[in-house]
Amino acid sequence: MTRSINYGLIGCGMMGQEHLHNIALLEGTRVSAIFEPDPEMARAAKALAPDAAMVGSVQELLAVEDLDCLVIASPNHLHVDQICEVADTRPLPLLVEKPLFTDPADAARLEKVQRDYPCPIWVAMEYRYMPPITALIDKVEATGGVKMLSIREHRFPFLEKVGNWNRFNRNTGGTFVEKCCHFFDLMRLILGSDPVRITASGGQAVNHLDEAYDGETPDILDHGYVIVDFASGGRAMLELCMFAEGSRYQEEISAVGPDAKIEALVPGPGRFWPDHLGEPPLPQVIVSPRNPKGPVTMDVPVDATLLAAGDHNGSTFYQHKGFLAVVRGEKAQPDVSLQDGLWAVRMGHAAQQAIATGESVHLIA
């Protein structure tokens, strides 16, 4: 019989609770300990994992004997200190939420962790595991080599978080770090190359302008375009709008090469789909060859249980399934490395800088 794997969770707000839901769907797992300092979120986490010990600090969590791995799902600006605390105290296999860091100066600390950490670290990039996006990635060779990649996300504004931490760039790293590192990760994955230049335009046009916290107005951007040139000669574009939740699909991805175009259409979270519109749309993948012409559309349904376990189209379950395989030694290494996570944030910071200065940012591998 396979031994049960014991998880410790650092941070159990909205995303941490999604992790709890999905860990519960995996056979042979249990949550042993949770550190969540907010009382309301701690109560919600305890209801989802009633057998878990609720502890008062990262150090108390690391002192719990029966831990096999850790999940960090705390606010963005806490990740680096917590990763380093784990590294210095009790390194364990680690799944850490994106973005890895918010302050560019912290990249050096994570590079040291990358060199010295004795256990696998998996950066949580859920969008890789959304079934329609996975299907696009699996079929991408049909393009004959992607030359142009476009990603459009038209979605709802940032949700309310504990202490409204996600209303300010100093905590999030900026919208194109916090929200868009997923997409920069997908660009590198699909194009199989690293970026060399980033150009961007964006701003704060609609969201959060009438909000104030301790007399301070939120400074997070709500829309923009980013164009990325890659070392391979491929190009990618991101279009983000965070006041477009009326859209039928939330993400639309198009990969085009000399032989074909492949598209993935991904609905937003089912809980936001209005009842009066009936059933929410099914995810789709469309393959459009140049010769012979004739688009082929495929529905990519997602299991209802997985949809109910979070807001990411079932992807969190598949991500956890892979991470569990790494922890058990059944999989050699994480799909998303610390280096992947570092690149995604670097690209987000470059986009923020390009928007702020109006100048392209050149990146060095």
Side-chain angles (χ1 to χ4, degrees):
M1 184 176 178
T2 304
R3 183 177 69 84
S4 181
I5 296 297
N6 299 304
Y7 289 70
L9 263 71
I10 299 172
C12 271
M14 189 176 299
M15 195 62 217
Q17 289 168 41
E18 181 166 325
H19 284 295
L20 288 177
H21 280 293
N22 284 275
I23 291 169
L25 296 176
L26 296 165
E27 291 186 7
T29 65
R30 65 183 291 269
V31 176
S32 292
I34 295 171
F35 168 51
E36 171 49 65
D38 180 78
E40 183 178 349
M41 293 299 103
R43 284 192 293 271
K46 185 66 173 176
L48 293 173
D51 295 331
M54 304 301 293
V55 300
S57 68
V58 172
Q59 285 296 314
E60 284 186 43
L61 183 140
L62 294 174
V64 175
E65 185 174 347
D66 62 340
L67 290 181
D68 297 298
C69 60
L70 300 171
V71 177
I72 293 179
S74 54
N76 300 357
H77 58 291
L78 302 178
H79 290 176
V80 174
D81 284 345
Q82 291 172 343
I83 291 169
C84 291
E85 188 172 0
V86 171
D88 291 341
T89 305
R90 186 184 173 188
L92 290 166
L94 178 61
L95 175 69
V96 56
E97 265 299 333
K98 61 79 193 168
L100 269 178
F101 62 105
T102 57
D103 183 348
D106 280 334
R109 298 173 66 193
L110 289 171
E111 288 166 355
K112 182 179 185 303
V113 170
Q114 184 179 27
R115 291 192 301 269
D116 300 340
Y117 202 80
C119 302
I121 299 178
W122 183 310
V123 182
M125 292 291 186
E126 287 85 10
Y127 282 53
R128 288 191 182 201
Y129 304 97
M130 291 181 173
I133 296 178
T134 298
L136 179 147
I137 294 168
D138 288 344
K139 297 177 183 297
V140 81
E141 288 186 4
T143 64
V146 178
K147 304 301 181 185
M148 297 180 69
L149 176 68
S150 64
I151 300 175
R152 179 167 74 175
E153 182 172 68
H154 284 189
R155 57 162 284 159
F156 49 91
F158 282 117
L159 299 173
E160 293 184 5
K161 297 293 182 76
V162 173
N164 302 295
W165 67 265
N166 65 339
R167 293 305 195 251
F168 298 98
N169 288 332
R170 61 177 175 269
N171 297 329
T172 68
T175 296
F176 285 87
V177 172
E178 150 57 32
K179 183 69 212 68
C180 301
C181 60
H182 280 300
F183 303 126
F184 299 132
D185 175 65
L186 285 175
M187 288 177 183
R188 288 184 63 249
L189 177 66
I190 293 170
L191 288 168
S193 181
D194 290 331
V196 294
R197 183 176 66 176
I198 291 182
T199 305
S201 175
Q204 184 182 15
V206 175
N207 296 344
H208 317 301
L209 295 172
D210 59 351
E211 300 175 9
Y213 303 96
D214 296 326
E216 190 176 5
T217 302
D219 59 0
I220 47 175
L221 307 182
D222 60 14
H223 73 288
Y225 296 96
V226 182
I227 296 175
V228 186
D229 295 303
F230 283 81
S232 64
R235 292 176 174 83
M237 182 184 75
L238 169 66
E239 175 186 332
L240 175 72
C241 180
M242 299 191 68
F243 43 90
E245 61 266 41
S247 305
R248 181 170 178 80
Y249 289 102
Q250 181 168 289
E251 287 87 27
E252 300 180 21
I253 300 177
S254 172
V256 187
D259 297 338
K261 175 174 75 171
I262 302 179
E263 300 165 272
L265 307 177
V266 187
R271 64 190 175 106
F272 295 148
W273 186 256
D275 291 338
H276 73 272
L277 294 179
E279 291 297 316
L282 285 174
Q284 292 185 331
V285 169
I286 306 166
V287 180
S288 303
R290 295 181 72 190
N291 184 28
K293 294 183 178 69
V296 177
T297 300
M298 295 161 280
D299 290 337
V300 188
V302 181
D303 183 274
T305 302
L306 303 187
L307 289 175
D311 287 341
H312 295 86
N313 211 248
S315 62
T316 303
F317 172 79
Y318 295 112
Q319 177 177 258
H320 266 289
K321 189 175 179 181
F323 177 63
L324 178 60
V326 170
V327 175
R328 289 192 183 281
E330 300 164 354
K331 186 180 177 74
Q333 58 189 13
D335 291 347
V336 191
S337 68
L338 201 67
Q339 184 67 17
D340 292 326
L342 284 162
W343 261 118
V345 175
R346 286 182 66 197
M347 293 172 73
H349 280 144
Q352 293 281 144
Q353 180 181 335
I355 290 169
T357 65
E359 298 179 355
S360 295
V361 176
H362 294 264
L363 297 172
I364 300 174

